[in-house]
Amino acid sequence: MSMNTQGRPTRIEHDIDPGGYETLSGSRGLDQAEPLLFERGSLEVTGVDLPTPKGGLNRLGTMKREGPIGLPGLAEPEAMRHYVRLSRKNYAIDLGLYPLGSCTMKHNPRLNEKMARLPGFADIHPLQPEKTVQGAYKLIEELARWLMVLTNTPAVAMSPKAGAHGELCGMMAIRAALDARGETGRRRVLVPESAHGTNPATAVQCGFFTDEIPADKTGRVDMEAFKAKLGDDVAGIMLTNPNTCGLFERDIKEIADLIHEAGGYFYCDGANFNAIVGRVRPGDLGIDAMHINLHKTFSTPHGGGGPGSGPTVFSEALAPFAPLPFIVKTADGAQLKMAENDGDADGEARPFGRLTAFHGQMGMFTRALTYMMSHGADGLKQASEDAVLNANYILARLKDVMTPAFDGTCMHEALFDDRFLKDTGVTTLDFAKAMIDEGYHPMTMYFPLVVHGAMLIEPTETESKSGLDRFCDVLLGLAAAAAAGDADRFRAAPVHAPMRRLDETRAARQPVLRWTPPVAEAAE
Ligand SMILES: *Cc1c(COP(=O)(O)O)cnc(C)c1O
């Protein structure tokens, strides 16, 4: 296999390339081979042509650079082409359906981008005098107000910068509340086995330990097992609703009551809020804290490293422990509290501290509020309903060929297991790789862990019926090919992608993050 200097396979092998030969350039049509910037450029040349400064006084003293800077020199068009070529290897929500379950990869309206780029929002700095950023504060308060209205909760911390960060925020508030009650022995957190990995990770990070609740036959919390786990060492439960199997936890009110009776708190993972906005208010279901992934539910961009935004709402019981700055509901809207007991006459606030230096992700706030206001209350509700309708359409079209993990309808995502691939020699991973050859980003695979060979498909509300039909036709075609014994095609896939199967485990365990000049040439 052809490898670059970093030991990465760079090309499709010609014997499996349907083109039948290896191209001289390594490019395949418009899919152009692209080496690293360091391999393309040269350390000896520079892309800029500035005269050496004459007679300047060097004030760097011992800090003066002695060797060359070690960056590759490229002319502007070469640098530009490098990044454009890389961008063309990316799959993006603006390119095609992105059916990753649990991730809610929905369209990011351009209106959001336009608003976020207004200089009054985009070009301000958190250290500016407060009186010059009142508009930004108003925007944060307005967004906070909508989040409190949609969830029916009295307080929200806007600063968490992602869902996982919001979980940290909520669990730290729970810990602070328990400590304030003097109950330092409550350290057990109940987590359903279908939970997202960030839930147990967060609990442990906050000094709790987790205790797993099994799922019942329908894919929901096993209520008998849950009741058996309640006790006076229980700090709370972390539950996602709809859960990661795409199912509504019907017993959620009873779960909330029982956890409260046992003296614990209810952390709700709100990553799947997109399925219920405008239909259900989590505050009415008895939650004490819940993060909202603005980058999922409210259409702000994500993937490729963010930035995300994970505002966390609180119940009456936990509101006093919310981190600074936090926002509370007032008679005429919402008010940003910047300091402990800031305007709090009865001195109830006992914030656990700060999570970030400033207020959170201003750009995400602007996008999310734009999305809310452009949809209106009825539009937000319809978006949730359409997301659920789309997922059920996929479930209905595929369920006789692929095997749904659970009976009945689903919420915003449809979950299949790998029973339909039994005895075909094709695995969930092979199936997903074959989708890449068909031009589709694969669905979420092998998650949730409770389902064997899981395939979790979330179309979101932004896909049209014809788009969903094309997608379903491809999946049905692939399932038929697997059933017909065409396993080789699946094992070879992808053959049309810039890269074939990479050693993903090695890439994760031993990432090569630094370029080193080829040793042999350097020695010559
Ligand atoms: C996405 C997700 C998270 C984590 O959110 P991030 O913003 O990626 O940190 C947590 N739980 C569930 C169920 C999710 O889907």
Side-chain angles (χ1 to χ4, degrees):
M1 183 162 258
S2 52
M3 306 277 191
N4 68 11
T5 54
Q6 304 299 299
R8 295 202 203 92
T10 53
R11 292 190 204 141
I12 301 282
E13 292 296 278
H14 59 92
D15 53 336
I16 52 91
D17 187 336
Y21 61 91
E22 202 165 356
T23 59
L24 301 172
S25 62
S27 299
R28 296 191 306 139
L30 298 182
D31 176 16
Q32 301 191 29
E34 186 57 21
L36 299 176
L37 208 49
F38 286 88
E39 293 163 323
R40 185 172 279 291
S42 155
L43 300 183
E44 277 76 52
V45 304
T46 170
V48 288
D49 191 11
L50 297 175
T52 314
K54 281 196 224 75
L57 191 62
N58 186 342
R59 301 207 190 100
L60 291 175
T62 56
M63 305 287 283
K64 190 178 169 214
R65 180 182 298 283
E66 283 170 359
I69 194 166
L71 292 176
L74 288 105
E76 183 174 317
E78 289 178 307
M80 179 64 85
R81 283 180 186 162
H82 172 75
Y83 290 107
V84 171
R85 284 176 180 152
L86 287 188
S87 77
R88 290 179 53 141
K89 297 186 196 301
N90 254 347
Y91 196 87
I93 190 66
D94 291 335
L95 194 70
L97 172 66
Y98 218 130
L100 275 184
S102 217
C103 293
T104 311
M105 304 298 289
K106 63 205 256 180
H107 172 60
N108 310 134
R110 288 304 175 269
L111 180 64
N112 297 358
E113 300 304 317
K114 198 171 167 188
M115 293 301 114
R117 281 164 176 69
L118 290 177
F121 297 130
D123 298 345
I124 51 177
H125 191 279
L127 292 179
Q128 265 176 239
E130 271 188 22
K131 68 173 180 350
T132 65
V133 291
Q134 288 302 308
Y137 282 178
K138 267 253 109 31
L139 182 139
I140 298 174
E141 285 176 345
E142 184 68 5
L143 173 63
R145 185 171 78 84
W146 280 111
L147 295 176
M148 290 185 287
V149 166
L150 291 169
T151 54
N152 193 23
T153 50
V156 58
M158 298 297 286
S159 62
K161 298 202 174 186
H165 203 201
E167 289 175 37
L168 186 70
C169 176
M171 294 310 284
M172 285 176 81
I174 288 176
R175 183 154 168 162
L178 290 171
D179 288 354
R181 276 160 45 181
E183 295 207 65
T184 49
R186 282 189 185 267
R187 289 294 178 255
R188 194 154 55 94
V189 171
L190 308 180
V191 183
E193 58 180 0
S194 64
H196 194 275
T198 50
N199 292 187
T202 301
V204 169
Q205 189 79 25
C206 292
F208 297 110
F209 65 95
T210 59
D211 190 1
E212 206 168 85
I213 322 169
D216 67 11
K217 279 199 308 296
T218 73
R220 296 171 176 87
V221 168
D222 181 326
M223 288 302 283
E224 290 319 306
F226 165 66
K227 285 178 198 161
K229 286 185 184 292
L230 293 169
D232 57 15
D233 64 335
V234 169
I237 185 172
M238 296 183 85
L239 182 72
T240 313
N241 200 16
N243 68 23
T244 57
C245 299
L247 303 168
F248 194 82
E249 292 282 357
R250 298 182 198 115
D251 296 316
I252 185 164
K253 285 193 83 166
E254 193 185 349
I255 292 171
D257 291 343
L258 289 172
I259 200 83
H260 289 149
E261 260 166 49
Y265 294 98
F266 181 177
Y267 185 85
C268 184
D269 179 329
N272 291 339
F273 196 35
N274 195 49
I276 55 173
V277 172
R279 295 288 304 219
V280 180
R281 299 184 303 178
D284 297 338
L285 302 176
I287 64 134
D288 290 301
M290 182 180 98
H291 73 263
I292 299 166
N293 308 60
L294 298 186
H295 48 287
K296 293 180 180 172
T297 306
F298 297 108
S299 85
T300 66
H302 66 130
S309 183
T312 303
V313 296
F314 291 102
S315 66
E316 286 301 345
L318 286 189
F321 303 95
L324 293 168
F326 61 96
I327 297 186
V328 289
K329 223 182 232 173
T330 60
D332 40 35
Q335 196 192 354
L336 186 62
K337 302 278 190 183
M338 307 284 273
E340 202 163 333
N341 299 342
D342 166 13
D344 182 8
D346 46 12
E348 295 247 299
R350 308 166 75 168
F352 70 70
R354 291 188 80 95
L355 278 173
T356 67
F358 301 111
H359 300 287
Q361 303 284 22
M362 189 65 204
M364 297 295 110
F365 297 159
T366 313
R367 289 175 176 90
L369 185 63
T370 303
Y371 181 78
M372 287 176 174
M373 296 186 82
S374 57
H375 276 66
D378 55 340
L380 288 177
K381 178 162 172 271
Q382 195 190 332
S384 297
E385 289 170 351
D386 289 351
V388 173
L389 183 65
N390 275 358
N392 278 285
Y393 183 71
I394 287 182
L395 183 63
R397 276 216 55 196
L398 302 181
K399 72 171 185 220
D400 293 336
V401 176
M402 292 171 62
T403 36
F406 299 103
D407 290 339
T409 54
C410 61
M411 292 294 289
H412 60 307
E413 47 197 359
L415 178 59
F416 298 88
D417 58 26
D418 60 359
R419 275 173 299 157
F420 74 101
L421 295 175
K422 192 167 178 288
D423 301 328
T424 61
V426 176
T427 64
T428 290
L429 181 68
D430 299 329
F431 195 82
K433 296 294 183 191
M435 287 171 69
I436 296 176
D437 279 339
E438 301 290 340
Y440 284 108
H441 191 288
M443 66 292 260
T444 293
M445 299 178 293
Y446 300 107
F447 175 83
L449 302 175
V450 282
V451 167
H452 197 270
M455 300 178 207
L456 183 62
I457 304 177
E458 180 176 359
T460 81
E461 69 282 3
T462 47
E463 296 304 319
S464 66
K465 178 171 176 298
S466 59
L468 294 179
D469 278 329
R470 279 196 298 276
F471 176 67
C472 289
D473 289 345
V474 163
L475 292 193
L476 292 173
L478 288 176
D486 202 358
D488 286 347
R489 161 182 177 183
F490 288 88
R491 289 198 206 107
V495 295
H496 298 302
M499 295 281 171
R500 297 193 57 236
R501 302 245 187 148
L502 302 183
D503 186 343
E504 288 162 16
T505 313
R506 212 177 116 217
R509 297 252 164 92
Q510 303 162 1
V512 180
L513 302 175
R514 173 182 282 263
W515 179 78
T516 40
V519 181
E521 283 172 39
E524 271 169 25

